[in-house]
Amino acid sequence: AYAPDVIHPVVRTHPVTGKQSLYVSDNFMERFDGMTVQESEPIKRFLLSWLSRPENVYRHRWSKGDLVMWDNRATLHYGVYDYGPDQTRIMHRTTAAGERPV
């Protein structure tokens, strides 16, 4: 199915804290506005490699009863399958309506 291009800022300002963060995704970002996919790729790779440096990553070590929450407006997250088939994972996802990124 056809999906029209949607333009989001690469640097967005959090509406509550006023802090700026990068809004870049490997899965959902095709290109930068005004650039081709090929022109965008090296910049996108650079930003994603910087975001995923160890000093920018929080890796949760799960314990029974843990609850983890994050703010999608300022978090790049990636779920890792680090539990076996004999372990139960219960996940409840809630998404709240938000504002347009600025």
Side-chain angles (χ1 to χ4, degrees):
Y2 171 76
D5 284 346
V6 176
I7 298 173
H8 291 281
V10 174
V11 177
R12 68 175 293 178
T13 303
H14 195 283
V16 176
T17 66
K19 292 183 179 181
Q20 292 186 316
S21 62
L22 292 174
Y23 193 62
V24 181
S25 167
D26 193 29
N27 298 328
F28 301 106
M29 180 185 165
E30 182 178 82
R31 62 183 175 80
F32 293 100
D33 191 31
M35 299 175 77
T36 67
V37 172
Q38 293 76 21
E39 292 168 333
S40 300
E41 193 63 25
I43 300 168
K44 181 178 162 182
R45 291 283 134 232
F46 171 78
L47 292 174
L48 288 168
S49 69
W50 189 86
L51 289 169
S52 60
R53 288 168 44 178
E55 61 268 27
N56 298 323
V57 173
Y58 170 74
R59 178 79 168 100
H60 189 74
R61 305 284 180 216
W62 291 97
S63 296
K64 186 176 181 176
D66 280 358
L67 171 68
V68 177
M69 298 173 70
W70 59 85
D71 185 340
N72 276 343
R73 299 172 295 186
T75 306
L76 177 68
H77 54 88
Y78 175 77
V80 177
Y81 181 68
D82 58 355
Y83 51 92
D86 59 324
Q87 295 175 306
T88 302
R89 178 180 182 221
I90 300 172
M91 182 177 84
H92 299 281
R93 178 181 174 152
T94 302
T95 302
E99 59 287 317
R100 192 171 180 85
V102 293

